[in-house]
Amino acid sequence: MTMTQSQYFSQRVADFIAGFTRHNPVYTKKIVALAQGCPELFNELADPLLLWAENLLGKEYPERLFVGYEFFVTEVNQAQLAYETNKKYLYSSFSEVARHTYNSPDFMMLYHWGVYVTIFAWQHHLNIYKFFKERFLSRLARAKPGQIIDLGCGSGVWSLLTVSALPDWNGLGVDISPTSVQWAQKLAALTNFSGQCVFTEGDALLYHRQEPAQAGISCFLLEHLETPDKLLRNLHDSLVPGAPAFVTAAVSAAEIDHIYEFRKESEVVTMLEEAGFVVTDMLSSAPESFSRNRIFKPRSVAFVLTRKTNALW
Ligand SMILES: C[S@@+](CC[C@H](N)C(=O)[O-])C[C@H]1O[C@@H](n2cnc3c(N)ncnc32)[C@H](O)[C@@H]1O
């Protein structure tokens, strides 16, 4: 069976993989293996994300995604190698990182689309999507619909996936990068979700709304902050008591803009509990192909949470 013959792939997904393989056979090897290993799940996530990118970027969209992904993966590999040598992340201060990254439109343009592709193209991220759908969206589907706040929303994908699955919910995303917020707003408009999803520029540590939301998301933001505990307390204060939340974090995973090094899953759990959440479900997922000889094994962790009501601890 070749990639393009898979009965599970839409034409768009098959064309994207074939085009990416021609463009960069080395970087696509793992993506092809992943797509062949779980074609239904891969297609389920890749197809809408590619459609949304096409709506936004036009017919040049595969090229923009390839270039962004190459840039992002090269940055990640370099950062992880430096981490192995130095035994710590490259930067520890937010202002240093923000200068090179969030405040640089050139950097963010590539980074933004690189991160976007990893959502479906990395095995451990696809595992997180499955967990999100099965454990978090299913819980929202049983709850009374309302607003979901998404702190560090980036491209807005997690909010958009939520409202596309559960049209009675509406999303409010906040991100510090003007470039990412502009793309997220355009994406919502072009995919006809602008009535349901609003994206706004702001510091998620300080973002405050008068009316608390009924659910929360914060994906892959904690490790970008000097004080992730502050973000979790703000998420807690932004939600009604008993609200569900979905939070992810990178553990022992270096990237240029990762400044808070979580070394163990338990460190994230403790921080979540201290911020006022009960962990009701969790997943830790690592890239399968990662070399055993390396000191650090990068993982992505995801949590389904309940904002505490009146529990004592
Ligand atoms: C790895 S990306 C994750 C984006 C998105 N949540 C996702 O999972 O695709 C991290 C995002 O955090 C944003 N960010 C970093 N520091 C922030 C802060 N203090 N407040 C709001 N957003 C922040 C960055 O601009 C970037 O879009």
Side-chain angles (χ1 to χ4, degrees):
M1 180 185 71
T2 67
M3 288 305 298
T4 42
Q5 285 165 342
S6 168
Q7 56 176 313
Y8 296 106
F9 299 135
S10 66
Q11 196 58 47
R12 188 180 302 106
V13 171
D15 289 348
F16 178 79
I17 295 174
F20 203 170
T21 306
R22 279 193 301 276
H23 177 89
N24 186 333
V26 176
Y27 274 23
T28 20
K29 238 162 130 182
K30 283 185 193 162
I31 303 180
V32 171
L34 172 63
Q36 282 173 334
C38 49
E40 261 178 294
L41 184 67
F42 185 90
N43 192 74
E44 176 184 312
L45 183 58
D47 187 59
L49 263 66
L50 292 174
L51 173 65
W52 295 346
E54 183 178 8
N55 284 342
L56 188 52
L57 300 170
K59 64 179 180 17
E60 302 300 317
Y61 82 96
E63 195 57 33
R64 296 283 294 274
L65 298 186
F66 302 158
V67 172
Y69 183 76
E70 279 171 345
F71 171 82
F72 184 73
V73 170
T74 306
E75 284 282 341
V76 170
N77 288 340
Q78 282 170 354
Q80 196 71 27
L81 281 174
Y83 180 39
E84 287 280 320
T85 308
N86 303 329
K87 317 281 183 292
K88 59 180 183 137
Y89 289 171
L90 197 55
Y91 297 112
S92 54
S93 115
F94 185 81
S95 59
E96 249 177 321
V97 163
R99 209 175 42 244
H100 299 301
T101 59
Y102 317 127
N103 297 337
S104 159
D106 291 343
F107 180 96
M108 281 315 282
M109 185 69 81
L110 293 161
Y111 171 101
H112 181 93
W113 291 113
V115 172
Y116 189 86
V117 174
T118 68
I119 295 170
F120 61 86
W122 283 3
Q123 168 84 63
H124 53 302
H125 284 187
L126 198 58
N127 293 343
I128 286 194
Y129 162 72
K130 186 167 185 279
F131 177 73
F132 171 77
K133 186 181 78 160
E134 291 176 355
R135 310 299 245 211
F136 182 64
L137 290 187
S138 62
R139 190 164 150 198
L140 290 192
R142 294 192 299 273
K144 192 162 168 263
Q147 185 166 63
I148 183 152
I149 187 167
D150 181 353
L151 298 180
C153 62
S155 60
V157 160
W158 296 99
S159 293
L160 292 168
L161 286 169
T162 302
V163 301
S164 63
L166 303 169
D168 292 339
W169 283 82
N170 60 79
L172 171 63
V174 182
D175 199 283
I176 208 160
S177 156
T179 312
S180 282
V181 170
Q182 278 165 22
W183 283 113
Q185 281 168 337
K186 283 190 212 163
L187 187 59
L190 283 166
T191 49
N192 291 328
F193 287 122
S194 54
Q196 275 170 279
C197 268
V198 175
F199 298 108
T200 182
E201 200 183 313
D203 185 340
L205 291 171
L206 307 172
Y207 190 77
H208 181 72
R209 289 175 68 249
Q210 212 67 6
E211 283 293 307
Q214 285 66 41
I217 296 178
S218 186
C219 286
F220 299 114
L221 171 59
L222 292 179
E223 60 278 6
H224 295 250
L225 304 170
E226 288 176 21
T227 52
D229 53 330
K230 199 170 159 196
L231 183 273
L232 292 175
R233 280 199 301 277
N234 196 27
L235 180 63
H236 171 275
D237 295 349
S238 304
L239 299 176
V240 295
F246 183 76
V247 170
T248 67
V251 174
S252 282
E255 286 176 23
I256 185 172
D257 51 353
H258 288 183
I259 57 175
Y260 192 95
E261 184 191 354
F262 289 107
R263 295 177 178 165
K264 299 173 188 166
E265 283 71 2
S266 56
E267 292 169 2
V268 194
V269 171
T270 302
M271 208 178 266
L272 288 162
E273 289 172 344
E274 283 174 359
F277 291 101
V278 178
V279 176
T280 55
D281 228 328
M282 68 173 282
L283 172 79
S284 179
S285 190
E288 279 166 18
S289 58
F290 206 75
S291 162
R292 279 160 201 258
N293 301 329
R294 298 264 180 92
I295 302 168
F296 299 109
K297 188 166 181 68
R299 281 101 71 203
S300 292
V301 289
F303 302 90
V304 175
L305 309 164
T306 301
R307 184 218 191 268
K308 278 186 194 168
T309 45
N310 52 3
L312 287 179
W313 22 256

